[in-house]
């Protein structure tokens, strides 16, 4: 099977112009087929503030009301996505910027109101079986590099907000039936750390057993757990390799001399 | 040659939710290959006002400063484009929303400062020869319906603002070498009118000679002249048919019983 990299960059990289430019140069240099999934960054909140749209969080998760879904559709699907595409095109990388509605690549279901009566609003949950592998394959085979904004759609005309880590994992799983797929999470840390203050305390290989131990000992903190969960979901569902590392280390982390955390 | 429709909708349709929904239902029902080019509408100005970005015009043309190019990238490339795509997908039309940077479909040149020392800012002028017919053909042949936001790029990482009528005309011309191409301009009037107050005064067929006469007699007013100029440019450069009409009349206007203005 042909190789495919699904690479995700987080908001911290997007918020830093120089870090983003360096990352995109490295991304563009990868010869294999590749998909970039990007997060949101602080810019949506900044623009929301300018527009008088208050950010509303429950349990650290932003509530996506009607004003907010328009805001993130603009910022994620327009501003961030198109700037990344233009920069990649300048690097001779034939990027094509898409959200989940485009070519119907990622259909999702609007999240129901929870049993605790929390309404997350226009948030989409993905079913891996509904990832449109055929259209992804068509685009990749034609030589395009999809750049995916963290937005999905419900198939009835509504755009939905969806976590970028989850999208990257779901795409990697779905495409692992067609390609030898590797999922690389790029963020602002060198990997999964034993001690969050020490960038050298990288856990080189994270197994499910070790993960349980570190959770039980409260060594791994809340923030990184959802990312690790989507990473394990990927490795348990056909993805060849999953790695969590720093955005600066992309080229190392797609080689055998990786410096981040390999999920086993 | 296979048929292709390049259909452009203006801002007035986009600003009217019901008119847009009706238009998209008609667009989706067209069986032939098709491309939709959309304008901007008032929403960019509204959001700009909310953000404190003042609209700045010279001779009726908006100056695209750094804040404005970000604004239109968000609104045209994100909000408007993705909402249209999601609505078309709900109508089983396999839409894919793109700006000129995506798949490098429309490269442009940043407009130079004019001899009157006017700097239009981040505005892109198109060279028809640089329309990426190969990538358009790949997408169309794969069954996708491109939905194009009025944004181009300079190939060096910069998004540029470009008039949607001009984009539609340039795409239609470029693709007329591959497809039997028809260009349909849809706007809020029934066609080119002898008397702008009378929607029944449609000029059924507009020839270059009649156009000159009507201009000389000041019957045709300033606002519609650039649209007619791009229409003539299309018909003189390989496009099979160019029609200007009301967005409600799309289905009629792609038939032989058209009700708008045919450009000859």
């Amino acid at each position: 099977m042909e190789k495919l990299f699904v690479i995700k960059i987080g908001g911290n990289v997007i918020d830093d112009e120089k870090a983003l430019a360096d990352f995109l140069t490295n991304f563009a240099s990868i010869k294999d087929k590749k998909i970039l999934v990007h997060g949101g960054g602080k810019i949506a909140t900044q623009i929301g503030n300018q527009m008088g749209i208050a950010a509303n969080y429950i349990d650290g998760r932003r509530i996506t009301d009607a004003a907010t879904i328009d805001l993130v559709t603009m910022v994620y699907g327009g501003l961030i996505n198109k700037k990344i595409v233009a920069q990649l095109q300048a690097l001779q990388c034939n990027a094509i910027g898409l959200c989940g509605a485009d070519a119907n690549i990622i259909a999702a279901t609007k999240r129901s109101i929870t049993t605790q009566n929390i309404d997350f609003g226009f948030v989409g949950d993905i079913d891996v079986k509904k990832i449109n592998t055929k259209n992804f394959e068509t685009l990749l085979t034609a030589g395009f590099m999809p750049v995916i904004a963290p937005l999905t759609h419900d198939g009835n005309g509504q755009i939905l907000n969806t976590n970028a880590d989850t999208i990257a994992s779901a795409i990697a799983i779905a495409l692992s039936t067609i390609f030898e797929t590797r999922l690389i999470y790029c963020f602002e840390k060198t990997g999964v750390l034993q001690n969050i203050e020490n960038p050298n305390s990288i856990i080189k290989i994270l197994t499910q057993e070790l993960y349980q131990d570190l959770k039980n000992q409260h060594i791994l903190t809340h923030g990184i757990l959802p990312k690790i969960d989507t990473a394990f979901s990927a490795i348990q569902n056909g993805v060849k390799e999953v790695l969590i590392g720093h955005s600066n280390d992309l080229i190392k982390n797609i080689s055998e001399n990786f410096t981040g955390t390999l999920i086993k």
Side-chain angles (χ1 to χ4, degrees), chain A:
Chain A
M1 281 203 274
E2 200 175 354
K3 267 192 190 181
L4 169 71
F5 286 104
V6 177
I7 297 171
K8 189 258 165 174
I9 39 166
N12 289 55
V13 185
I14 291 162
D15 290 333
D16 179 341
E17 204 169 309
K18 171 75 169 67
L20 179 61
D22 290 347
F23 170 84
L24 293 177
T25 302
N26 288 331
F27 177 82
S29 76
I30 298 173
K31 297 274 180 289
D32 302 288
K33 286 189 164 44
K34 58 205 171 189
I35 294 171
L36 180 62
V37 179
H38 63 80
K42 293 197 191 86
I43 192 165
T45 307
Q46 282 165 13
I47 292 173
N49 289 342
Q50 282 177 270
M51 291 176 66
I53 300 170
N56 190 355
Y57 289 87
I58 296 180
D59 291 343
R61 305 187 84 127
R62 184 162 184 168
I63 302 299
T64 308
D65 57 16
T68 304
I69 191 65
D70 279 2
L71 174 67
V72 298
T73 301
M74 291 197 308
V75 176
Y76 302 166
L79 190 61
I80 296 174
N81 191 267
K82 299 314 168 195
K83 280 194 171 183
I84 289 175
V85 167
Q87 288 183 54
L88 285 173
Q89 286 288 347
L91 295 161
Q92 316 307 323
C93 172
N94 198 6
I96 186 164
L98 305 171
C99 78
D102 294 305
N104 188 28
I105 49 174
I106 317 170
T109 307
K110 185 171 181 288
R111 187 172 300 169
S112 306
I113 297 175
T114 67
T115 46
Q116 292 88 32
N117 212 25
I118 299 171
D119 182 358
F120 285 103
F122 296 102
V123 168
D125 290 315
I126 308 176
D127 177 350
V128 169
K129 290 188 219 77
K130 288 194 179 159
I131 300 278
N132 197 324
T133 51
K134 181 174 158 290
N135 284 349
F136 267 112
E137 188 182 13
T138 299
L139 293 167
L140 289 164
T141 304
F144 300 121
M145 313 296 169
V147 175
I148 312 291
L151 301 167
T152 55
H153 77 135
D154 72 355
N156 296 311
Q158 179 64 54
I159 300 283
L160 299 168
N161 195 3
T162 299
N163 177 275
D165 285 347
T166 308
I167 287 182
S169 171
I171 292 175
I173 293 169
L175 291 178
S176 67
T177 56
I178 305 173
F179 298 100
E180 188 186 287
T181 303
R182 284 166 172 77
L183 172 63
I184 317 283
Y185 282 121
C186 296
F187 72 147
E188 71 283 7
K189 294 197 164 46
T190 49
V192 181
L193 303 177
Q194 282 268 3
N195 171 3
I196 201 158
E197 305 296 328
N198 178 4
N200 296 320
S201 68
I202 305 165
I203 299 163
K204 189 90 182 166
I205 291 172
L206 185 61
T207 61
Q208 189 65 255
E209 295 71 31
L210 181 56
Y211 180 43
Q212 288 306 330
D213 282 355
L214 294 170
K215 272 206 289 190
N216 294 342
Q217 296 170 54
H218 303 284
I219 288 173
L220 291 181
T221 49
H222 188 72
I224 202 169
L225 300 187
K227 190 188 290 289
I228 299 177
D229 289 335
T230 58
F232 274 112
S233 165
I235 203 73
Q236 286 157 0
N237 288 284
V239 178
K240 176 91 178 173
E241 214 170 275
V242 183
L243 205 134
I244 299 176
H246 199 288
S247 60
N248 290 343
D249 297 330
L250 175 63
I251 295 301
K252 259 193 197 158
N253 280 339
I254 61 166
S255 79
E256 286 179 14
N257 300 314
F258 64 90
T259 172
T261 297
L262 188 70
I263 305 294
K264 277 263 178 182

